[in-house]
Amino acid sequence: LTAGAGLDGPDLRHAAGRHVERRASGIWVAVDWGMHPREIPVRDRHAEPLAALADARGDQLLIASTTAPCHMSAAGGVAKKINARVERVRGGFTVSPQRLRKNWLVVMIRQGMPYDVLMRVAGVDSLRAVESLIRHHLAPTELSDADLARYCQ
């Protein structure tokens, strides 16, 4: 959900199987809660596993954590369980919903998604939330001197 559709922690607490839809254009997640209702296409590499999970869960939450303390998000509880099982590599790299969402955002930025579309599917009100990612991961546009001069007129 975070790597394939960019959902954040609060979104993960509400996503149920019924929110994952099969369409002619692929697998989509319909976020119908919170301040930023939206529909998000799932990246191809994550689409079928998510669709299979959604089919199995139906109306139940996609991420349920029955053992996590009540102050811990369901996604954080799942990440903690994964990290407890994964052998530490590369100096303690760990899985987290925040890292997966940032990875999704970087992929969208590198693919050239228009900023207004990025804001809509990421569920943010301004680019301030993703400004550092854009600054560090946006491929520089190669312009000839003539093109640059035309922009500056």
Side-chain angles (χ1 to χ4, degrees), residues 41-132:
V42 178
R43 291 180 58 208
D44 288 345
R45 67 185 296 187
H46 302 285
E48 283 308 317
L50 180 57
L53 175 64
D55 289 343
R57 303 290 291 176
D59 285 340
Q60 297 177 9
L61 294 175
L62 293 173
I63 298 178
S65 178
T66 57
T67 59
C70 60
H71 68 277
M72 182 185 294
S73 74
V78 171
K80 186 175 180 180
K81 290 176 185 177
I82 291 170
N83 289 325
R85 293 183 186 140
V86 174
E87 182 179 336
R88 304 280 187 222
V89 294
R90 297 184 191 163
F93 175 82
T94 57
V95 173
S96 75
Q98 295 84 2
R99 281 187 175 185
L100 294 173
R101 177 174 163 84
K102 282 185 179 181
N103 181 63
W104 175 82
L105 287 164
V106 167
V107 169
M108 298 301 106
I109 291 165
R110 287 185 175 173
Q111 289 179 345
M113 180 178 280
Y115 294 148
D116 60 328
V117 176
L118 179 65
M119 288 171 46
R120 188 174 70 235
V121 297
V124 296
D125 291 324
S126 76
L127 287 176
R128 197 172 272 150
V130 294
E131 179 183 10
S132 65

Side-chain angles (χ1 to χ4, degrees), residues 1-8 11-12 15 19-23 25-33 36-44 47 50 101 104-105 108 113 117-124:
L1 289 168
T2 54
L7 270 61
D8 61 10
D11 287 333
L12 294 174
H19 296 114
V20 178
E21 302 172 356
R22 292 180 187 270
R23 299 181 183 175
S25 58
I27 305 299
W28 289 65
V29 176
V31 175
D32 62 0
W33 57 85
H36 301 99
R38 59 202 184 276
E39 295 181 343
I40 310 161
V42 178
R43 291 180 58 208
D44 288 345
L50 180 57
R101 177 174 163 84
W104 175 82
L105 287 164
M108 298 301 106
M113 180 178 280
V117 176
L118 179 65
M119 288 171 46
R120 188 174 70 235
V121 297
V124 296

